[in-house]
C-alpha cells in the first residue's frame, strides 16, 4: 500500500512539473528560454517514462531493459518532427533500478542530438538499442548523419558533457564512432 501511494505521488509530481515547464515555455519571451524549458520538459518526460517502467515491475529493485527502452523512446517520439522515425530494439534482461534515471537522461540526450544533428531536423531514421554483451549492457543510438568528433565538440556541447558525466555515474564508457554510421554508445555493467 505504501509503495502504491509513493508511485501515485511521484507520478502526480512529475505531471505537475511537466505542466509547469510546458506553461512556462509557452509564456517565455525569448526563443532561448523557450528552448531551455522545452529541453527540461523533454528530460522530465524521459524520466517519467523510466519511472513508469520501474513501478510496473514486480521486482522493486530491478526492471526489464527492453520495456525501459520502449517506454523512454516512446516518450521521446512525441517531441520529434513527424518525419523522423525512432526505432528501438531492446534485449531481454534485467537492470538495477539505480541505472534507470541516468540511463533515461542519456538516451534522451543522444536521441535529441540525433534529431538535431543526425537528421538535421529533417526526415530520417534514428535507431536506439539496449543490448547485452557478456556481463555488460550497451546502449547505442545511430543516425544517418555525418557524425562528429567528440574531442572537437566536447567543450561546446553541454549535452555531451552531461552524457559523459552520467556514463561515469554508471561506471560506464561513452564512445562515438562515424564509420559506417554515426553511432554513440554507452557500455556499462549491469
Amino acid at each position: 500500500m505504501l509503495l502504491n501511494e509513493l508511485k501515485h505521488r511521484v507520478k502526480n509530481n512529475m505531471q505537475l512539473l511537466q505542466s509547469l515547464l510546458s506553461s512556462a515555455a509557452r509564456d517565455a519571451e525569448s526563443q532561448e528560454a523557450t528552448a531551455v524549458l522545452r529541453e527540461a520538459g523533454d528530460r522530465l518526460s524521459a524520466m517519467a517514462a523510466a519511472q513508469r517502467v520501474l513501478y510496473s515491475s514486480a521486482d522493486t529493485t530491478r526492471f526489464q531493459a527492453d520495456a525501459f527502452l520502449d517506454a523512454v523512446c516512446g516518450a521521446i517520439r512525441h517531441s520529434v518532427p513527424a518525419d523522423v522515425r525512432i526505432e528501438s530494439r531492446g534485449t531481454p534482461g534485467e537492470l538495477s533500478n539505480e541505472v534507470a534515471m541516468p540511463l533515461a537522461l542519456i538516451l534522451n540526450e543522444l536521441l535529441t542530438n540525433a534529431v538535431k544533428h543526425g537528421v538535421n531536423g529533417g526526415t530520417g531514421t534514428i535507431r536506439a538499442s539496449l543490448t547485452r554483451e557478456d556481463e555488460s549492457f550497451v546502449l547505442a543510438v545511430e543516425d544517418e548523419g555525418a557524425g562528429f568528433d567528440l574531442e572537437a565538440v566536447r567543450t561546446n556541447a553541454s549535452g555531451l558533457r552531461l552524457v559523459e558525466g552520467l556514463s561515469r555515474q554508471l561506471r560506464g564508457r561513452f564512445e562515438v564512432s562515424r564509420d559506417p554510421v554515426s553511432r554513440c554508445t554507452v557500455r556499462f555493467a549491469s
Side-chain angles (χ1 to χ4, degrees), residues 79-129:
S79 64
V80 301
D83 293 339
V84 175
R85 286 188 30 196
I86 297 176
E87 297 176 351
S88 59
R89 181 180 58 87
T91 300
E94 290 187 333
L95 289 167
S96 166
N97 284 1
E98 295 172 5
V99 305
M101 291 307 140
L103 202 57
L105 289 169
I106 289 170
L107 183 55
N108 177 75
E109 199 63 41
L110 294 178
L111 288 172
T112 300
N113 285 347
V115 170
K116 286 180 188 174
H117 307 291
V119 296
N120 296 319
T123 62
T125 301
I126 300 166
R127 290 164 299 286
S129 62

Side-chain angles (χ1 to χ4, degrees), residues 7-103:
K7 291 177 191 179
H8 178 71
R9 287 182 186 260
V10 169
K11 178 183 165 191
N12 285 348
N13 285 333
M14 285 199 168
Q15 287 174 335
L16 176 63
L17 284 171
Q18 285 176 307
S19 177
L20 289 171
L21 287 169
S22 178
S23 177
R26 280 192 308 274
D27 295 341
E29 295 183 12
S30 75
Q31 288 181 342
E32 183 180 359
T34 299
V36 167
L37 290 165
R38 284 197 176 130
E39 286 176 14
D42 290 345
R43 287 178 179 142
L44 189 59
S45 290
M47 291 170 59
Q51 198 72 35
R52 285 191 298 275
V53 171
L54 295 180
Y55 288 152
S56 67
S57 175
D59 184 341
T60 58
T61 63
R62 303 192 70 72
F63 64 92
Q64 291 298 314
D66 51 351
F68 169 86
L69 183 69
D70 288 342
V72 176
C73 285
I76 295 166
R77 281 184 190 105
H78 295 292
S79 64
V80 301
D83 293 339
V84 175
R85 286 188 30 196
I86 297 176
E87 297 176 351
S88 59
R89 181 180 58 87
T91 300
E94 290 187 333
L95 289 167
S96 166
N97 284 1
E98 295 172 5
V99 305
M101 291 307 140
L103 202 57

Side-chain angles (χ1 to χ4, degrees), residues 117-149:
H117 307 291
V119 296
N120 296 319
T123 62
T125 301
I126 300 166
R127 290 164 299 286
S129 62
L130 182 55
T131 56
R132 187 165 185 84
E133 292 181 10
D134 300 322
E135 297 300 313
S136 298
F137 274 89
V138 178
L139 173 69
V141 174
E142 296 179 350
D143 61 60
E144 300 157 352
F148 60 94
D149 178 359

